Amino acid sequence: MVDSTTKKEDGMSKGLLIVFTGNGKGKTTAALGMAMRAAGHGLRVCFIQFIKGSWRYGELEAVKRFAGLIDLHVMGKGFTWKSENIEDDARLAREAWDFARQAINSNSYQIVVLDEFTYLLHYGMLALDPCLQFLTERNPAQHVVITGRYAPPSLLEAADLVTEMQAVKHPLASGIKAQKGIEF
Amino acid sequence: MVDSTTKKEDGMSKGLLIVFTGNGKGKTTAALGMAMRAAGHGLRVCFIQFIKGSWRYGELEAVKRFAGLIDLHVMGKGFTWKSENIEDDARLAREAWDFARQAINSNSYQIVVLDEFTYLLHYGMLALDPCLQFLTERNPAQHVVITGRYAPPSLLEAADLVTEMQAVKHPLASGIKAQKGIEF
C-alpha cells in the first residue's frame, strides 16, 4: 500500500475500473467493505444493486450509518431474472443502466458500484459493446466497481483491477443453511 | 440465500469457520463488509488485526460508526514482520494469539475476525497444530473469519467456507499507485 494520491504520467488522477467476479463468496461483500472504507475517508459512493432482494436487513442497516455518504439504489422493481417476460426484463435492464450512467456522469460520487451488474451482460439483457464503450470513455477520474459472476472477458480486459473469488469450499454444499449475519 | 437460522442435524446452530485467502484484493475488505453487515443485524463482532498498519484512516473511521457492535483490536505493537529479532516476533505472535483465543472463548461476540492471521502460520510464528485444534474445538456456535495469503492446506481443510481471491489483474502491476478510498 502506497500512501499517495495516484497520478498518471500526465499528472491526472486515475479512476479505476474494478471487477470482483467468480463463483465464490465475498464479491458484493468486498464492494460493500470498499464503499464503507471510502465513506470513512469522506468520499461519496453510489451503490447500485441490479438484482432485487440480494441485500437483506443487515446490509441495509449498515449502510444507513453512512447516510449522506453512501447512496443505495435498488434497480428493477421485481427484476429477479425469473420474469416470464424477456421483453420486460430487457426494458428494466436498460432503465437500470440509464440510471447507472447518470450516476457515473454526475460527478457527484468518487465511486459508483454496479453490484451484480455482470448478469445483465451475461444474459444479454444489455448489449456489451456500448456498455464497454461508455465505461472506457467515462470521466477518467471516476472509480467504478462492478461485481457478479460470469464477467465477460472483454470487461476484464477493460478493467484495471480484477479479482476472481473462487469457491474452494462452501457450507451450503455440505448441507449447512445460510445464516443471518454471516451470509446475508 | 435461505432465510432461516442454521441448524445442524442435532438442532444446534452451527458456527462457521470462514477463510478468505489468495493473492487477490478483497480479503480484508470482504471481512470488513461481513463485519459491518453482521453489525447491521445487531450482532457483535471482534475484529483483530494481526498486521500493524494494514488499516488506514478509512477503515478506522468506518468502524467507528459501529461503536458498541464492532470492537477493533490491533495486535503486535510494531509487529510488521520486518523485525530483526525473530524471538521477539514469535513472542508477539503468541501474545496476539492468546488475545484472539480469549475473544473466541469469551462468548461475547457472534463473529471473531482474525485479519491477516494466516501469515503467523505461514511464517512459523505459531505452531499450526495447536491452532487448528483450538479452532476445531471452539464453541460450535462461534463464527470465526480468517483472512490472509498462504492459508495452510490443513486450515482450509478445517474450514467450512473458503474463498480464494485470485488476482487476475492488478493496477500496481501496470504502474498505477494505490489510491485513498480505493485501496486503503
Side-chain angles (χ1 to χ4, degrees):
Chain A
M1 300 291 173
V2 179
D3 193 354
S4 69
T5 304
T6 300
K7 302 283 181 188
K8 286 169 73 178
E9 287 81 8
D10 62 0
M12 299 286 285
S13 63
K14 161 71 173 158
L16 300 180
L17 178 59
I18 296 173
V19 177
F20 291 118
T21 190
N23 63 352
K25 303 289 290 181
K27 298 183 289 294
T28 291
T29 314
L32 178 66
M34 185 177 274
M36 294 188 191
R37 180 175 56 191
H41 278 290
L43 305 184
R44 295 198 67 219
V45 181
C46 185
F47 203 111
I48 304 174
Q49 291 178 255
F50 285 84
I51 305 289
K52 189 189 177 183
S54 63
W55 276 29
R56 306 272 182 134
Y57 179 84
E59 286 95 340
L60 299 174
E61 287 300 307
V63 163
K64 277 184 193 166
R65 295 182 184 239
F66 297 88
L69 290 168
I70 302 179
D71 290 343
L72 175 66
H73 299 278
V74 182
M75 297 289 105
K77 306 188 192 78
F79 187 48
T80 59
W81 304 108
K82 290 171 186 164
S83 167
E84 294 176 2
N85 186 332
I86 290 177
E87 284 299 311
D88 221 44
D89 271 359
R91 181 180 54 77
L92 288 168
R94 284 193 301 272
E95 289 175 8
W97 173 235
D98 284 346
F99 182 90
R101 285 190 296 173
Q102 285 169 29
I104 290 170
N105 282 336
S106 71
N107 292 324
S108 300
Y109 302 99
Q110 277 77 37
I111 302 175
V112 176
V113 181
L114 310 182
D115 187 38
E116 312 211 63
F117 178 67
T118 54
Y119 298 97
L120 279 72
L121 301 174
H122 179 70
Y123 290 111
M125 299 291 169
L126 288 176
L128 182 58
D129 286 347
C131 283
L132 288 175
Q133 186 177 355
F134 174 81
L135 289 170
T136 53
E137 293 177 356
R138 75 190 190 281
N139 174 347
Q142 178 69 59
H143 299 296
V144 174
V145 180
I146 294 175
T147 79
R149 294 185 183 202
Y150 317 125
S154 52
L155 175 63
L156 303 185
E157 186 65 29
D160 299 294
L161 191 161
V162 177
T163 303
E164 182 179 350
M165 275 68 167
Q166 290 205 328
V168 176
K169 190 187 271 190
H170 196 290
L172 298 183
S174 49
I176 302 172
K177 289 179 184 169
Q179 298 184 68
K180 183 175 83 170
I182 289 293
E183 303 205 56
F184 60 88
Chain B
M1 299 293 173
V2 179
D3 193 355
S4 69
T5 304
T6 300
K7 301 284 179 186
K8 286 168 73 176
E9 285 81 7
D10 60 359
M12 299 284 286
S13 62
K14 162 71 174 158
L16 301 180
L17 178 59
I18 296 173
V19 176
F20 292 118
T21 190
N23 63 351
K25 301 289 291 182
K27 299 182 290 291
T28 290
T29 314
L32 176 65
M34 184 176 272
M36 293 187 191
R37 181 175 55 191
H41 277 290
L43 304 184
R44 295 199 67 219
V45 181
C46 185
F47 204 111
I48 304 174
Q49 291 178 254
F50 285 86
I51 305 289
K52 188 189 180 184
S54 64
W55 277 27
R56 306 274 181 134
Y57 179 84
E59 286 94 340
L60 299 173
E61 287 300 307
V63 163
K64 276 184 193 167
R65 294 183 184 238
F66 298 88
L69 290 168
I70 302 178
D71 290 343
L72 175 65
H73 298 277
V74 183
M75 296 290 104
K77 307 189 192 78
F79 186 48
T80 58
W81 304 108
K82 291 172 186 164
S83 166
E84 294 177 0
N85 187 332
I86 290 176
E87 284 299 311
D88 221 43
D89 271 358
R91 181 180 53 77
L92 289 167
R94 284 194 300 273
E95 288 176 8
W97 174 236
D98 284 346
F99 183 90
R101 285 191 296 175
Q102 284 169 28
I104 291 169
N105 282 337
S106 70
N107 293 322
S108 300
Y109 303 99
Q110 278 78 36
I111 302 175
V112 176
V113 180
L114 311 182
D115 187 39
E116 312 211 62
F117 177 67
T118 54
Y119 299 97
L120 279 71
L121 301 174
H122 179 70
Y123 290 110
M125 297 291 170
L126 288 176
L128 181 58
D129 286 348
C131 283
L132 288 175
Q133 185 176 357
F134 174 81
L135 289 171
T136 53
E137 294 177 356
R138 75 191 189 281
N139 174 347
Q142 177 71 59
H143 298 296
V144 174
V145 180
I146 294 176
T147 79
R149 294 184 183 203
Y150 318 126
S154 53
L155 176 62
L156 303 186
E157 186 65 30
D160 298 294
L161 190 161
V162 177
T163 303
E164 183 179 350
M165 275 69 166
Q166 290 205 327
V168 176
K169 192 187 270 190
H170 196 290
L172 297 183
S174 48
I176 301 171
K177 289 179 183 168
Q179 297 183 70
K180 183 174 83 171
I182 289 292
E183 302 205 56
F184 59 88

